[in-house]
């Protein structure tokens, strides 16, 4: 994390408890130093707005010319709507219809327009790739792809194009037997475990 923006974004994520640092057991069974609780951002619109303001500044600077912000349901809808409002653009979202990503509603002005895709967190790029496919079907050109957090630290390209992020963070996941935090006997936390009574 070298850019000045990264520090501000990191601080905003931490303030809203959307990014936790420690020793976490992921759903994959692997262990990690970082855990994103992205629902905290949606739950706290004032904190989300501060982060979206930084994203909007970046989009304005880098990609001024487009018509729509498009986000995949559900978490990114709040982010995309807020960004579109501030950018003075229209907004549309894709959603899963029987597992497949699609534009379900009757978005009237989308065909042939130019879109910026906005997603919350980039992990593998799979969802964004699916959004790109949906846009192609509607003849929409992709002007830019933005995420709040890139967990791959810039290593994923979508059709040869970079994904721009506010925060690029290489999140390493360790097998328990190779976990450096286990070695130091740091207590392991399983996020969300407290709401599920076994
Ligand atoms: Zn561990």
């Amino acid at each position: 994390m070298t850019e000045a923006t990264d520090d501000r974004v990191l601080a905003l994520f931490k303030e809203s408890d959307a990014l936790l640092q420690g020793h976490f057991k992921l759903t994959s069974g692997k262990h990690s130093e970082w855990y994103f609780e992205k629902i905290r951002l949606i739950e706290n619109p004032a904190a989300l707005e501060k982060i979206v303001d930084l994203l909007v500044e970046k989009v304005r600077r880098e990609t001024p010319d487009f018509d729509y912000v498009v986000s995949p349901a559900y978490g990114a809808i709040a982010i995309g709507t807020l960004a579109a409002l501030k950018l003075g653009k229209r907004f549309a979202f894709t959603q899963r219809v029987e597992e497949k990503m699609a534009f379900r509603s009757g978005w009237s002005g989308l065909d042939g327009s130019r879109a910026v895709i906005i997603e919350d967190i980039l992990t593998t790029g799979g969802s964004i790739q699916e959004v790109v496919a949906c846009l192609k079907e509607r003849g929409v050109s992709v002007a830019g792809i933005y995420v709040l957090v890139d967990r791959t630290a810039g290593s994923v390209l979508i059709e040869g194009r970079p994904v721009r992020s506010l925060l690029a963070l290489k999140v390493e996941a360790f097998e328990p037997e190779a976990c450096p935090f286990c070695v130091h006997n740091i207590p392991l936390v399983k996020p969300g475990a407290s709401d599920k009574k076994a």
Side-chain angles (χ1 to χ4, degrees):
M1 284 174 275
T2 49
E3 285 181 52
T5 309
D6 278 358
D7 294 336
R8 281 156 76 194
V9 177
L10 196 60
L12 288 169
F13 266 87
K14 284 183 168 175
E15 272 168 35
S16 59
D17 289 329
L19 175 60
L20 307 175
Q21 189 174 11
H23 182 199
F24 301 98
K25 186 176 180 182
L26 306 176
T27 46
S28 63
K30 290 183 178 179
H31 295 186
S32 174
E33 181 184 6
W34 298 96
Y35 187 78
F36 287 97
E37 193 87 90
K38 57 187 182 182
I39 203 76
R40 294 283 162 266
L41 288 181
I42 308 302
E43 196 172 50
N44 186 349
L48 179 63
E49 184 179 28
K50 288 182 192 167
I51 294 175
V52 169
D53 280 341
L54 295 175
L55 184 70
V56 162
E57 267 176 42
K58 188 174 169 67
V59 174
R60 253 195 211 118
R61 201 168 56 236
E62 297 172 349
T63 313
D65 191 21
F66 66 99
D67 312 297
Y68 270 84
V69 170
V70 174
S71 298
Y74 288 93
I77 291 179
I79 298 163
T81 305
L82 195 51
L85 175 68
K86 287 168 180 279
L87 287 161
K89 308 295 184 185
R90 293 195 192 183
F91 176 72
F93 66 86
T94 60
Q95 64 196 110
R96 295 208 179 270
V97 180
E98 291 167 1
E99 310 271 301
K100 192 182 182 299
M101 193 76 88
F103 282 109
R104 188 167 188 168
S105 307
W107 308 105
S108 59
L110 199 56
D111 293 326
S113 66
R114 286 156 300 175
V116 160
I117 297 171
I118 293 182
E119 168 68 303
D120 44 25
I121 295 175
L122 176 71
T123 305
T124 62
S127 298
I128 295 174
Q129 189 68 60
E130 289 178 85
V131 174
V132 170
C134 292
L135 292 172
K136 273 188 179 170
E137 277 175 25
R138 301 289 296 259
V140 179
S141 58
V142 178
I145 302 172
Y146 289 84
V147 296
L148 299 183
V149 180
D150 179 356
R151 291 181 42 161
T152 75
S155 63
V156 169
L157 296 178
I158 306 287
E159 303 203 335
R161 138 203 321 269
V163 177
R164 297 163 194 267
S165 66
L166 280 185
L167 179 65
L169 192 64
K170 181 72 190 161
V171 177
E172 283 188 88
F174 303 96
E175 296 295 346
E177 51 284 7
C179 175
F181 308 104
C182 283
V183 169
H184 292 98
N185 291 316
I186 296 165
L188 181 66
V189 176
K190 189 166 189 298
S194 58
D195 0 294
K196 288 175 206 150
K197 291 243 159 65

